[in-house]
Amino acid sequence: MSIATELTAAGNPQSSAFRLEEDGDLAVVWFDLPGEKVNKFSSAVMLELDALVDVLAGMSAIKRLVFASAKSSIFIAGADITEFTKVTSAMEAEKFTRFGQQVFSKISRLPQVTVGAVNGPCLGGGTELLLNLDYRVIADDPRASIALPETKLGIFPAWTGTTRLPRLIGLTAALDMILTGKTIDARRAKKIGLVDEVIPAPILLEGAKAFVRKMSGKREGHSRTHIYIEGNPIARKVIFNQARKSVIEKTGGHYPAPLKAIDVMELGFQEGFGAGLAAEAKGAAELIMGETAQNLVRLFFMMEDSKKDAIDARPVKVTKAGVLGAGVMGGGIAQLVVDKAGIDVRMKDINWSALAGGMKAASKLWRRKVERRRMTRWEMARSLSRISSTVEWTGFHDADLVVEAVVESLAVKQQVLGEFEKVSAPGAIFASNTSTIPISNIAANAERPENVVGMHFFNPVDRMPLVEVIRGAESSDRAVVTVAAFARKLGKTVVHCNDAPGFVVNRILAPYMNEAAFLLEEGYSIESIDKAMTDFGMPMGPLALLDEVGLDVAAKAGHIMAESFPERMQASGGLQRLLEDKRLGKKVGRGLYQYKDGKRTEPDSGIYKLLSIASPREGNGEEMTDRMILAMVNEASTVLADGVVASAEELDLAMIMGTGFPPFRGGLLRYADKVGLPAIVVRLEELAARIGPRFTPSSPLRELAGSGNSFYGRYQRIAGITGN
């Protein structure tokens, strides 16, 4: 009887996600979800898998099973995240979680010897499936990796993963994987005992078959469990307490999932495997219905949506790129292009000293990868050789796209664009990495303004995930989609913007940074201002951020924003006084903070003397938070009303990816909707009356609040994730 016939006889329609391929007493279970680029576990797929497992349990002629993916580039992407949007109660969430546990536990009890053959990324529920197999092998391929990223969605592995993983690889390694969601490559997976063999990618299936045929029976016990730790209640308690302390230090206690995972793991060791599974299901269900998980799931969908372009145009394939301007940013962009896009880069600047600095910046990023054993020295040397340097325009005639990263000056950018157009091909795209200058202004004198687009990277370019793609008044669809596609190839999240000073992130960030400077001028301590925002959930305070960006860079951007929006963005005078004292921030080791070996230490008390502050005082955290956050909300309302960005989701995505706005809050506008727009208007009016007119609620905000609407009610784009 065929597997399809047996499934039908078992009361399940013919299998579509799984098929069985028999080879003597061995069979391969192929996972191939039709109509999808990746394999993922939906409710329907889990029901199908459950029926398949029942059939396999009765196939006595089959002694060994290989679980494999028919998708060439991925093993299993995990659970279908849309399932989270369908759950309406904790009881329903717990029922779904328990069903997943039951299916995977049945797989662990199959009479056959089982092995998983990992050919690409294996995430979440896919990893939990692996944990319920007897053995695991993985391809010797950079794409092949294993991760449990559930905490990034506000939950934790609850299809047996949190209970099984420490019993396989040991408690410390399991905590590291689950709490961070980090990705484990093939080499590391073998070292920690997560997989049994690493097999050359071209012969993965044959190798998996040969491996499982060597196994005389099912695995009994796991060698990586350290009895002197896992079996010692005192040692366990120390490890769990240290893990809790570390999580709270890193997250401020804003993310409940890692702490719940620790609780579940600890209970599983104290009360046994079954109790651990029960705690998994109950704990995960509570988290799924919580605000943090709901916001993080919405963020997931926002990021997925950002991968698509609504513009009906075909992007140009970029095979050769250039970078104009070889500072830290230019060198970082060049490194990123080689590293991610795998194409040659020509880097130009006005002198060889600047070019040496750009090469040094690129080299530093690759050296860090070598130190972390993510590439070899030979690979680093080969990558560096793909960046060529010049002080002339030679080698730019055949560039498909150049990224301009010169100083933030309209005149300089226009000059560079004019020179490039004289040597470049007619269709070559000029992508300006400006942070505040309107693209239409840069392209005002261009011969081919349709080829000019904004491509705003954030600093540091290797770590900040956002790129704003800005359409100028005459930018063509072809140029815009090409820049967006290229940014995604570099691993960046793209937000499309229409042209305006500061675009989205810097326009909204400007009043936030200004307000922090005003608070400092009023005599509040650097520590209290920054602490107010880190307590709110920002990754660093605004004054620390000012040092990171560079006070000179911030001053230039602030000048442009003040000229563009004089009624609400006039900068505080304190910044100019700091610049006159040659305080440029982290890059010179001298700013609002002190630095040692390039690392920020304590606030510099000399700042107070410069600003004529005799005795800095601690401020009210809630008051300071309102002043800084509501200033951003007010400006965001005008950004949406002006059509700079198309939707609330895109604005929130830009603020999360570009400023680190707390993901657990769902974004700036999600936070504002939760507080309530009428309440925000009242608070802004009170601040305007007491502090100054810069807090006057904008007309769009007043109108929205007066109509009883919300940001997501008016400007939502992605259906089904509002949660209002």
Side-chain angles (χ1 to χ4, degrees):
M1 187 186 297
S2 71
I3 184 66
T5 304
E6 293 202 33
L7 283 172
T8 303
N12 202 58
Q14 181 167 327
S15 173
S16 59
F18 301 96
R19 69 176 187 271
L20 202 68
E21 181 182 280
E22 297 183 36
D23 181 6
D25 69 347
L26 181 150
V28 179
V29 179
W30 290 105
F31 191 179
D32 189 10
L33 192 59
E36 298 282 352
K37 293 182 180 179
V38 301
N39 292 320
K40 52 189 175 182
F41 292 121
S42 64
S43 295
V45 169
M46 291 299 287
L47 285 168
E48 196 174 301
L49 180 59
D50 186 47
L52 168 62
V53 173
D54 288 340
V55 171
L56 291 171
M59 297 180 72
S60 57
I62 299 297
K63 306 298 183 185
R64 292 168 175 79
L65 291 170
V66 177
F67 284 77
S69 168
K71 310 289 187 188
S72 60
S73 61
I74 191 166
F75 184 63
I76 302 173
D80 185 344
I81 306 302
T82 59
E83 297 288 342
F84 288 85
T85 66
K86 301 174 185 177
V87 175
T88 59
S89 68
M91 184 179 297
E92 186 180 344
E94 185 171 351
K95 181 179 178 182
F96 177 68
T97 304
R98 286 187 180 277
F99 179 63
Q101 291 180 341
Q102 291 164 9
V103 174
F104 286 171
S105 294
K106 283 166 68 173
I107 290 173
S108 73
R109 296 192 297 269
L110 280 170
Q112 294 91 357
V113 181
T114 57
V115 64
V118 180
N119 63 310
C122 176
L123 307 173
T127 300
E128 292 180 285
L129 169 65
L130 284 182
L131 296 177
N132 283 275
L133 302 178
D134 296 313
Y135 304 98
R136 290 147 293 279
V137 298
I138 190 170
D140 185 11
D141 186 311
R143 296 173 300 174
S145 58
I146 301 174
L148 288 166
E150 284 87 345
T151 54
K152 296 179 181 179
L153 289 174
I155 55 174
F156 62 87
W159 280 351
T160 75
T162 300
T163 304
R164 280 196 180 277
L165 186 63
R167 290 166 169 80
L168 175 65
I169 66 173
L171 180 54
T172 303
L175 282 165
D176 186 43
M177 273 192 74
I178 291 172
L179 300 184
T180 65
K182 68 168 53 175
T183 298
I184 306 296
D185 62 18
R187 181 190 62 82
R188 177 66 177 165
K190 176 69 163 61
K191 183 176 181 180
I192 66 175
L194 186 54
V195 301
D196 299 283
E197 291 290 347
V198 179
I199 296 173
I203 59 167
L204 175 63
L205 182 62
E206 292 79 2
K209 288 181 178 181
F211 175 88
V212 77
R213 282 189 170 118
K214 290 189 301 184
M215 300 299 108
S216 59
K218 295 181 73 65
R219 171 173 256 153
E220 297 293 336
H222 299 294
S223 60
R224 293 290 173 143
T225 299
H226 305 298
I227 299 302
Y228 63 90
I229 294 177
E230 281 80 354
N232 185 328
I234 296 175
R236 287 200 311 260
K237 187 173 184 61
V238 170
I239 292 172
F240 285 128
N241 286 343
Q242 287 177 337
R244 288 188 182 93
K245 181 180 178 182
S246 176
V247 166
I248 291 171
E249 286 177 352
K250 291 176 181 177
T251 69
H254 293 301
Y255 294 85
L259 295 172
K260 178 64 72 173
I262 294 170
D263 291 344
V264 168
M265 205 179 293
E266 187 169 29
L267 187 144
F269 274 107
Q270 289 174 347
E271 300 184 20
F273 191 84
L277 293 184
E280 274 188 10
K282 188 174 186 300
E286 293 170 353
L287 291 170
I288 287 170
M289 300 309 298
E291 182 181 0
T292 297
Q294 293 292 314
N295 281 336
L296 294 177
V297 168
R298 292 185 189 109
L299 175 59
F300 170 84
F301 284 113
M302 286 153 57
M303 292 181 67
E304 289 297 299
D305 190 64
S306 76
K307 297 174 183 177
K308 310 164 192 170
D309 279 318
I311 303 168
D312 186 18
R314 184 183 295 275
V316 173
K317 184 178 181 181
V318 178
T319 59
K320 186 174 181 182
V323 174
L324 308 177
V328 172
M329 177 65 80
I333 294 171
Q335 186 271 343
L336 190 69
V337 171
V338 172
D339 202 54
K340 298 294 186 182
I343 61 177
D344 294 343
V345 179
R346 185 78 160 158
M347 187 163 58
K348 180 187 182 302
D349 211 306
I350 58 175
N351 60 62
W352 289 105
S353 176
L355 287 164
M359 292 300 292
K360 182 179 179 181
S363 178
K364 182 178 179 181
L365 295 172
W366 274 314
R367 191 178 305 113
R368 192 180 301 155
K369 293 183 73 172
V370 171
E371 290 168 354
R372 296 174 180 175
R373 298 185 179 180
R374 292 180 180 175
M375 72 186 310
T376 65
R377 292 187 181 278
W378 180 83
E379 289 170 335
M380 174 180 167
R382 184 178 61 176
S383 295
L384 273 169
S385 72
R386 301 191 70 173
I387 303 176
S388 59
S389 304
T390 180
V391 294
E392 307 291 341
W393 282 103
T394 55
F396 282 90
H397 65 284
D398 59 349
D400 302 300
L401 180 150
V402 299
V403 180
E404 168 270 301
V406 301
V407 296
E408 192 74 348
S409 161
L410 176 60
V412 174
K413 290 178 184 293
Q414 287 180 332
Q415 178 185 341
V416 170
L417 171 57
E419 292 175 1
F420 172 71
E421 286 190 315
K422 291 177 183 177
V423 301
S424 62
I429 294 168
F430 184 91
S432 177
N433 179 45
T434 176
S435 59
T436 52
I437 302 173
I439 301 305
S440 301
N441 294 0
I442 294 172
N445 303 322
E447 292 180 11
R448 297 184 290 274
E450 69 276 8
N451 292 338
V452 183
V453 180
M455 189 182 191
H456 179 209
F457 291 86
F458 290 77
N459 197 26
V461 68
D462 63 308
R463 296 203 301 270
M464 294 298 287
L466 181 69
V467 165
E468 290 177 315
V469 175
I470 306 106
R471 178 190 287 273
E474 298 188 59
S475 302
S476 68
D477 287 351
R478 165 188 165 276
V480 170
V481 298
T482 297
V483 171
F486 190 61
R488 294 187 188 103
K489 195 169 185 179
L490 301 182
K492 300 301 183 182
T493 297
V494 169
V495 169
H496 285 275
C497 313
N498 287 317
D499 207 11
F503 318 122
V504 176
V505 172
N506 281 338
R507 178 166 164 184
I508 295 172
L509 199 61
Y512 169 77
M513 301 292 277
N514 273 351
E515 205 53 41
F518 280 124
L519 285 163
L520 179 60
E521 271 196 295
E522 290 170 23
Y524 295 104
S525 70
I526 295 169
E527 298 99 318
S528 65
I529 296 167
D530 278 356
K531 185 176 185 299
M533 294 318 305
T534 54
D535 284 351
F536 180 80
M538 296 294 278
M540 69 173 64
L543 300 180
L545 178 60
L546 196 59
D547 267 6
E548 289 284 334
V549 170
L551 277 70
D552 54 336
V553 174
K556 287 179 182 178
H559 179 70
I560 293 170
M561 300 307 292
E563 283 187 339
S564 304
F565 308 103
E567 71 283 0
R568 59 183 186 273
M569 291 201 192
Q570 287 301 321
S572 108
L575 181 57
Q576 186 57 40
R577 276 178 272 174
L578 298 181
L579 287 172
E580 290 169 359
D581 193 46
K582 296 183 172 53
R583 293 177 179 271
L584 304 184
K586 181 180 178 180
K587 60 188 172 186
V588 298
R590 194 163 184 264
L592 290 144
Y593 283 83
Q594 299 180 62
Y595 293 86
K596 184 176 181 180
D597 299 326
K599 294 184 178 180
R600 186 172 67 249
T601 56
E602 301 295 323
D604 190 336
S605 59
I607 295 293
Y608 304 120
K609 184 178 180 181
L610 278 173
L611 299 179
S612 302
I613 299 169
S615 179
R617 64 187 190 276
E618 301 300 306
N620 178 285
E622 185 176 346
E623 162 89 1
M624 290 193 291
T625 297
D626 276 356
R627 285 177 60 172
M628 290 182 276
I629 294 295
L630 298 190
M632 288 199 289
V633 172
N634 205 21
E635 192 61 36
S637 68
T638 68
V639 168
L640 281 172
D642 291 349
V644 179
V645 70
S647 68
E649 293 97 333
E650 288 165 287
L651 190 149
D652 273 346
L653 183 63
M655 294 305 292
I656 290 170
M657 296 295 167
T659 73
F661 191 90
F664 71 90
R665 295 191 185 276
L668 178 66
L669 301 183
R670 181 75 61 183
Y671 170 76
D673 282 350
K674 182 187 176 187
V675 173
L677 302 193
I680 288 175
V681 167
V682 169
R683 180 64 169 142
L684 284 170
E685 288 174 336
E686 186 271 325
L687 290 170
R690 183 162 55 85
I691 297 172
R694 66 180 179 272
F695 285 105
T696 302
S698 72
S699 295
L701 183 60
R702 285 187 188 277
E703 186 276 326
L704 205 55
S707 68
N709 213 330
S710 64
F711 284 119
Y712 273 83
R714 172 73 61 85
Y715 297 103
Q716 175 208 351
R717 188 174 78 172
I718 306 173
I721 69 163
T722 58
N724 289 321

